[in-house]
Amino acid sequence: MSQSKRQLRGNGFTFKRFFIAHDRCAMKVGTDSILLGAWAPVAQAARVLDIGSGSGLLALMLAQRTAEAVAIDAVELDQEAAAQAAENAARSPWAQRIHIHQADIIDWAKHQEQRYSLIVSNPPYFTPGPACASSARDKARATHTLNHESLLQCAETLIGEEGFFCLVLPEEEGKRFVSMALARGWHLRFRNDVAENSTRLPHRVLLGFSPVAGELLQERMVIRGPDQRYSPAFCSLTQDFYLFM
C-alpha cells in the first residue's frame, strides 16, 4: 500500500507507535528524515540532539529506538513548527524524555554545557535562490540562516568526545559536506548511499561523523527492487516505523 494511503489523518502521518502532525510545519514528513531516524547509530547514545527538528519526527524516532534513560533535545527555529513538535512529543509514549527548544541553534549552542553522544540533522541544503511561496518553507529548504559551516561549528561545540554527528543530504551536497567536515578535523565513520532503484545513481547519502578517527563503514541501499516493491534492505531498516511493513 502506498505511503499516502497510510496517512490516516489529514494533518499528518501515522507511524506504528506515534503520530506526527505537520500541517503547521514548512517541511512535511519525508523519506529523508525517516531514513536518517532509522539509520543513525544509537547503540552508545546517552544523550541525543536533533538540530532543526521541524515536526519533531527525528526526535520521536530516536526516542523509540533508545532506552528510557536517554534524554533527547530538539532545537527548532520556527515558532509554529516548534510548537507543533512539542505537541507531537507530548502525545507520544516518550513525552518525559523529549524536550523541544524554540531557538536559533547557533545562539542556543553557545549556552549549553552538556555534550551529546548523538547529534542528528536533516539540514537545509539548497543555495538561496527564488523565494518559495512560504517564507517558512524557504528557510527550511535553503541555507539562509544555517549554512553547513555553521552547522558543523554547532556540532563541534556540542558533540561528546566519542559521539557521532549524523545527517542526510543529496549526493552532490554530501560530497561538499564531507570535504568541509574533513577539513575541519571530523572523521567520516558511517556512509550509506541511497538510490531509488538499482538502475539509478544514488540521490541521497546518510553520513556519520566523529571527532575520533576510526574505521569507515560504507554501504549502499536501494529503496525499491526491480518489481518496484520496497527492497528487503529498506524494509529491514524502516519496519519498526511504517505501518505497511
Side-chain angles (χ1 to χ4, degrees):
M1 184 174 288
S2 70
Q3 182 169 308
S4 62
K5 292 181 180 179
R6 286 298 187 176
Q7 295 181 13
L8 303 182
R9 291 167 55 182
N11 64 333
F13 198 99
T14 302
F15 291 91
K16 283 183 176 177
R17 297 189 60 190
F18 59 90
F19 176 77
I20 289 288
H22 58 193
D23 56 300
R24 289 151 54 198
C25 300
M27 300 304 292
K28 311 305 181 186
V29 169
T31 304
D32 287 3
S33 285
I34 293 169
L35 283 169
L36 179 60
W39 174 84
V42 298
Q44 304 300 320
R47 192 173 186 91
V48 177
L49 173 65
D50 174 16
I51 296 178
S53 188
S55 64
L57 172 59
L58 282 172
L60 268 71
M61 291 184 73
L62 293 170
Q64 179 176 321
R65 295 180 59 209
T66 52
E68 286 298 319
V70 177
I72 298 171
D73 288 316
V75 180
E76 169 55 43
L77 176 63
D78 182 77
Q79 186 173 2
E80 279 296 300
Q84 188 151 61
E87 292 167 7
N88 288 333
R91 288 194 296 261
S92 78
W94 312 285
Q96 301 305 311
R97 296 170 51 203
I98 301 174
H99 309 279
I100 307 296
H101 308 271
Q102 194 270 306
D104 182 330
I105 185 61
I106 296 173
D107 294 330
W108 188 84
K110 297 174 184 177
H111 304 288
Q112 305 309 307
E113 296 183 358
Q114 69 266 28
R115 295 295 176 262
Y116 294 88
S117 47
L118 177 63
I119 299 175
V120 297
S121 183
N122 180 1
Y125 53 79
F126 290 115
T127 301
C132 300
S134 161
S135 61
R137 181 173 172 82
D138 191 38
K139 289 179 181 178
R141 294 176 74 246
T143 55
H144 288 287
T145 55
L146 183 63
N147 62 42
H148 290 167
E149 186 172 3
S150 297
L151 177 61
L152 279 165
Q153 185 174 349
C154 290
E156 289 163 12
T157 300
L158 296 166
I159 197 74
E161 184 177 350
E162 296 186 359
F164 292 108
F165 171 40
C166 300
L167 69 164
V168 58
L169 286 168
E171 188 77 11
E172 286 302 315
E173 288 295 329
K175 290 178 184 177
R176 288 189 280 270
F177 195 95
V178 169
S179 296
M180 185 184 301
L182 296 181
R184 295 180 66 98
W186 288 91
H187 301 274
L188 183 61
R189 300 287 301 277
F190 300 96
R191 180 182 180 123
N192 195 333
D193 294 277
V194 182
E196 183 63 29
N197 56 53
S198 60
T199 66
R200 296 187 180 181
L201 294 173
H203 66 293
R204 288 291 186 271
V205 60
L206 299 161
L207 300 168
F209 297 93
S210 172
V212 178
E215 182 181 359
L216 169 62
L217 177 61
Q218 190 161 356
E219 301 174 288
R220 179 182 170 122
M221 182 177 69
V222 297
I223 294 177
R224 296 182 184 274
D227 58 1
Q228 291 305 303
R229 295 188 179 188
Y230 288 117
S231 71
F234 182 81
C235 290
S236 177
L237 183 65
T238 61
Q239 64 185 351
D240 289 339
F241 298 98
Y242 279 127
L243 285 171
F244 56 85
M245 296 295 185

